[in-house]
Amino acid sequence: MVLRKDIIKFLNQLFSEVNYPDFSYNGLQYEGKEEISKIVAGVDATIPFFVEAKKRGGDFAFVHHGLFWKGGEWSRLDRINKKIFKSLLDADCNLFAMHLPLDAHPEVGNNAVIAKLLNAEKIAPFGLCKGNPVGFLCKFDSPISINELKEKIESKVAKINTHLNFGKKMIQTVGIVSGGGWNSILESAVYNGDVDVILTGEIQHQGVPQYRDREIHLIAAGHYATETFGANEVGKLLSKEFNLPYEFIDLPTGL
């Protein structure tokens, strides 16, 4: 028998080294069943996710984007929040959320997994958010062409949505910051400009001149797509640690 408290203890220990200040209320956000028989994981805590969790028999869910955010607290149960909460109640599935620490974790984090998939060596923390690095500056053994990097990303990570082609044809260093890490370019001065490419999920208009002026590539491969890796790694780790069945609930947003 696997108890909820034992899984929570394991997760708290796992993320203790990167327990950074966050926009999210990380940890257990909904207390469901005490005895756990199946793990599910996903990126976003949404009605479709809770419906799928119930359908698949999940009773402990690990997600990157939970329901409760600092500064965005639920102040009332309006008709939308009631629908969300009802779907969670119907599933009776424990909900555990981990936001920035899941980006930053050196083994199971989104950015660490992406670096491993690209066969790039992590050489330094990178990409400050709320004062702490959540990504990694990585280096390839030898310079590769920007086109070769794009092929690697599309085959190992996700389809590229945007490429700001402002940098060199041959590159060696890449700052990996999943999700909305486009503004990590502002940190490049710390490394004396030694960042050839930033790989992230999305770009906003105001970031374009920053990359053009600094002559650095930006590659955006989707906010959702670049943040599937950590939740899936944690789900697999929980499955192995507690000998429980596990499924990743993939609900792409297209962004």
Side-chain angles (χ1 to χ4, degrees), residues 5 12 29 39 68 99 101 108 122 130 145 155 162 167-168 178 204 215-216 238 247-248:
K5 66 178 183 179
N12 287 338
Q29 293 194 344
I39 304 292
F68 303 111
H99 186 228
V108 299
K122 303 193 303 291
K130 294 185 78 69
S145 71
S155 66
T162 306
K168 301 176 292 187
S178 62
Q204 294 183 11
E215 299 182 343
I216 295 175
L238 291 175
E247 283 190 70
F248 182 78

Side-chain angles (χ1 to χ4, degrees), residues 182-193:
W182 63 269
N183 57 0
S184 298
I185 190 172
L186 300 178
E187 194 188 346
S188 63
V190 176
Y191 300 99
N192 298 315

Side-chain angles (χ1 to χ4, degrees), residues 68-82:
F68 303 111
W69 300 85
K70 298 172 184 176
E73 289 84 356
W74 288 14
S75 57
R76 61 189 181 279
L77 281 174
D78 60 21
R79 60 187 177 86
I80 304 301
N81 290 340
K82 282 170 63 178

